[in-house]
Amino acid sequence: MKYLSNAIANFSSRLVSKSAALMILLSAIGLGINAKPSEAADTVNFRFNIFEVSVSVDDLETFSKTGELRGALDMASRYISASDMATFRRILTERADISVVLLSRFLYTSQGERALDILGDFIKTAPNLSGNRAIRAAAVLATVDKQNGLSLLNFLRKFPTSDIYFDIQAGLQTVGELSDLLQNTQKVVQMVNTEATKQAALTPTPSPSAPLPLQLPDLRNAAGSKWQRYSLTAPALNGKYEIPFYLFVPQINNANLKTSIPAIVIYPGLSSSREPLLYLAEHLASYGFAVVLTVSPTSSAEQLDKLIIGAASEIAPPESFIDRPHDITAVLNFLEKSPKVDNPYVANINWKNVGMIGHSFGGYAALALVSDAQIQSADLAEVCQGKYKWNASLLLQCVALGLPNQTYKLGDPRIAAVIAVNPVTSHVLGKAALSKITSPIAIVGSSGDTFAPVVSEQIIPFTWLTTQNRYLVLFNKAGHTAVTAITSGDRLSPEVSNALAGANPVASQDYLKLLSVAFFKTHLVQESSYASYLTPEYFVNISAPSAQASLLRSLSMEQIDAAITK
């Protein structure tokens, strides 16, 4: 999910992760004064159990501008460190720059409504009345204000009621849940890295004639095959829309015109386009692969455009969980009929044995196609009643509950091997689907993913795989969009895009290029020499300290549980 929902998830996570000091401060306000002052206009009423105290928004604004402490804030400063007070002061005016139209449309989707319900548990318009609708109004009004923008202070200023009730106890519980998640994620990530290092050390000593890891050709560099790109469209299975895609056709040796060309499909995530993954398609084409780079119009940047102009009511309609795998089938059906492309090599492409790389929602589709999975309606119905425990991807996964509860044919036997990057899988597919996969699978996760948390969406689902050829690859210090290049068509500012991608997205993109070539050369083309790249030892040797990548071939839930409880 490249754009809005990921941006909101990331911004919310940053605010909450910074707000431990804020919550402590609010607790001090609530606990340090046990008398309820008289009500006043433009106030925030902080409640903790039976205690309640009001703070004037004017006092908050004065503090943000001058550092002067008045009233309850002055009282609270006696309990809070100077550094925490400084953090609170900064949080008050920290802006989130986002399109007001985009924000407004999102907050009226089912995903946005669900997010508002979560926030409404501790930001209220009355002691026992959810503030979900008022939160939406305040967020939109603050965003419209070009001078001050969407900040905590301006949000309070724009709140449509004279009083805001902030439930400190509920807020502290929320921050506690997020803190636990972050700590557990760090423990599991460290365990995966440590285990990869251990497995690398246990690798048998190679024979004298075998190349050492650093002596192998670097697959992060492009190879020598030339290629041509074509822009085509295929009809959807239901005939209601056209599916745009790029086809990359590599040139082969003239003496081997009958040589079969292996094919790979690349599939971006929700609300994305093809351009951020062009680098990967071109890289694979240089290694002699035919590449299809496509999107599904019902859940791509085109769908986001429709949302903005009011022609759609959802970022992703429930049908997109069916459309996405079906659209890949439709494109392959079209290509098997040998489309009229002026290139003699097109007829050599093998469309019966295809590899696939899917990112985010595209990762879901790739796993659905290779497993012929069913939507896990019962599991979704149970988990979607809760508050998601800070797994923002469930805002998307729970949309699938809007589908009729019936059997769907999602698989395609032509998909023979899959790399799922930052996939959303935990409940919409779940163990029931992933455990039945028999084809080679690589699951790639990013340690700093704020939309599809790496433990719940990639590391734990990896333990459900039973196929012999399975790989878990972890990109450290990377975000959800690390593998997607920033392009001129990005809707987000470069600063926000960089924050979503993580510290070193170029390294993540290079690792994915290497992994893709080695994985499909090994498991699609059956060139066994490339298996040397798919080892913990190789990844340990090539990893940079600032952007470590770890690879494992096996992992158990017992190891994950032990890491968390350690």
Side-chain angles (χ1 to χ4, degrees):
M1 176 174 280
K2 170 83 177 194
Y3 297 117
L4 179 62
S5 53
N6 193 29
I8 291 175
N10 186 72
F11 176 68
S12 299
S13 177
R14 285 192 296 116
L15 280 184
V16 176
S17 64
K18 290 180 179 180
S19 66
L22 172 61
M23 286 298 178
I24 295 170
L25 172 66
L26 300 183
S27 297
I29 294 172
L31 295 173
I33 305 174
N34 58 16
K36 179 179 177 181
S38 59
E39 294 183 355
D42 297 322
T43 59
V44 184
N45 300 286
F46 299 107
R47 309 185 75 219
F48 190 94
N49 290 330
I50 63 173
F51 303 109
E52 183 176 319
V53 64
S54 295
V55 176
S56 167
V57 177
D58 288 336
D59 288 348
L60 291 172
E61 184 169 6
T62 298
F63 173 59
S64 71
K65 291 180 177 179
T66 69
E68 180 185 354
L69 294 164
R70 297 177 178 176
L73 285 177
D74 184 34
M75 175 83 64
S77 67
R78 304 173 191 177
Y79 303 90
I80 304 298
S81 69
S83 62
D84 284 343
M85 290 299 293
T87 299
F88 178 46
R89 183 181 177 186
R90 185 177 69 253
I91 289 172
L92 281 170
T93 54
E94 186 174 80
R95 293 178 56 150
D97 292 320
I98 190 169
S99 162
V100 63
V101 176
L102 209 54
L103 176 65
S104 179
R105 294 291 185 190
F106 171 77
L107 293 178
Y108 278 96
T109 65
S110 61
Q111 297 98 320
E113 293 273 2
R114 189 63 174 172
L116 289 170
D117 286 343
I118 295 172
L119 293 173
D121 276 353
F122 55 90
I123 303 175
K124 303 179 180 182
T125 55
N128 297 306
L129 186 62
S130 171
N132 50 9
R133 301 297 177 263
I135 293 168
R136 175 166 57 201
V140 172
L141 290 171
T143 305
V144 170
D145 182 354
K146 294 182 179 180
Q147 181 176 352
N148 299 302
L150 178 55
S151 66
L152 176 58
L153 183 60
N154 205 28
F155 171 84
L156 298 176
R157 279 290 188 204
K158 303 298 184 182
F159 209 78
T161 61
S162 59
D163 288 84
I164 308 168
Y165 290 82
F166 198 107
D167 189 327
I168 296 173
Q169 197 166 16
L172 285 170
Q173 180 179 353
T174 299
V175 170
E177 290 172 356
L178 179 59
S179 177
D180 289 344
L181 171 65
L182 295 175
Q183 290 183 26
N184 291 341
T185 297
Q186 290 173 356
K187 291 178 180 178
V188 175
V189 164
Q190 182 58 47
M191 179 271 292
V192 169
N193 291 327
T194 302
E195 186 64 23
T197 302
K198 288 180 180 178
Q199 290 189 18
L202 294 174
T203 302
T205 302
S207 64
S209 60
L212 296 173
L214 293 181
Q215 295 173 339
L216 292 168
D218 193 341
L219 301 184
R220 291 172 289 189
N221 299 325
S225 293
K226 296 181 179 179
W227 45 265
Q228 289 184 297
R229 188 182 90 181
Y230 302 90
S231 184
L232 304 169
T233 59
L237 293 183
N238 58 18
K240 294 182 179 180
Y241 54 87
E242 292 288 314
I243 306 162
F245 66 95
Y246 295 136
L247 173 62
F248 295 78
V249 182
Q251 295 181 15
I252 57 178
N253 191 309
N254 289 332
N256 297 299
L257 288 178
K258 294 184 179 180
T259 299
S260 177
I261 300 176
I264 297 172
V265 173
I266 300 178
Y267 211 16
L270 179 65
S271 301
S272 188
S273 63
R274 290 168 286 179
E275 279 61 34
L277 289 172
L278 271 174
Y279 79 91
L280 183 59
E282 293 172 352
H283 187 75
L284 288 166
S286 78
Y287 277 87
F289 292 98
V291 182
V292 174
L293 175 56
T294 187
V295 293
S296 284
T298 61
S299 57
S300 67
E302 180 180 333
Q303 175 72 6
L304 185 58
D305 290 335
K306 291 179 180 178
L307 180 73
I308 291 172
I309 66 174
S313 59
E314 294 286 358
I315 292 178
E319 294 76 20
S320 61
F321 286 86
I322 310 303
D323 290 343
R324 277 202 159 239
H326 280 182
D327 285 353
I328 298 301
T329 293
V331 170
L332 293 179
N333 289 348
F334 178 82
L335 289 168
E336 275 199 316
K337 296 176 182 178
S338 297
K340 295 180 180 179
V341 172
D342 186 18
N343 188 310
Y345 303 107
V346 170
N348 296 53
I349 301 174
N350 181 4
W351 298 115
K352 298 292 186 183
N353 191 51
V354 180
M356 185 169 174
I357 304 169
H359 176 243
S360 192
F361 203 12
Y364 150 80
L367 293 170
L369 281 157
V370 80
S371 64
D372 197 14
Q374 295 302 310
I375 303 296
Q376 302 300 308
S377 299
D379 189 13
L380 282 174
E382 181 177 353
V383 74
C384 292
Q385 294 176 359
K387 297 301 182 185
Y388 301 167
K389 299 297 183 182
W390 292 103
N391 183 347
S393 77
L394 287 173
L395 290 171
L396 172 62
Q397 294 187 59
C398 290
V399 171
L401 284 174
L403 291 168
N405 189 1
Q406 63 187 54
T407 300
Y408 296 95
K409 186 182 186 309
L410 303 180
D412 192 313
R414 292 169 291 194
I415 303 299
V418 159
I419 298 177
V421 187
N422 308 113
V424 289
T425 58
S426 59
H427 296 282
V428 69
L429 294 179
K431 185 176 182 179
L434 299 189
S435 63
K436 296 178 181 178
I437 296 175
T438 58
S439 302
I441 298 290
I443 292 181
V444 180
S446 301
S447 67
D449 194 334
T450 56
F451 175 71
V454 65
V455 175
S456 59
E457 295 303 315
Q458 290 100 50
I459 295 178
I460 290 177
F462 173 77
T463 69
W464 301 335
L465 294 175
T466 58
T467 180
Q468 180 179 358
N469 296 309
R470 60 187 184 272
Y471 305 85
L472 174 66
V473 180
L474 175 65
F475 296 158
N476 288 266
K477 299 180 181 179
H480 188 70
T481 60
V483 302
T484 61
I486 296 175
T487 69
S488 59
D490 273 10
R491 299 175 186 277
L492 302 176
S493 67
E495 293 78 13
V496 174
S497 294
N498 289 332
L500 295 175
N504 195 342
V506 173
S508 295
Q509 292 160 26
D510 282 344
Y511 290 141
L512 182 58
K513 289 191 292 187
L514 182 157
L515 173 68
S516 301
V517 173
F519 181 82
F520 290 118
K521 286 288 189 180
T522 301
H523 295 295
L524 198 65
V525 187
Q526 308 303 320
E527 294 186 19
S528 58
S529 60
Y530 283 86
S532 299
Y533 293 91
L534 301 175
T535 64
E537 180 191 19
Y538 185 80
F539 273 79
V540 164
N541 276 278
I542 65 167
S543 286
S546 60
Q548 182 182 358
S550 296
L551 181 146
L552 287 178
R553 295 296 308 274
S554 62
L555 190 69
S556 69
M557 273 304 304
E558 288 74 19
Q559 289 173 286
I560 295 173
D561 290 337
I564 292 174
T565 57
K566 187 175 180 180

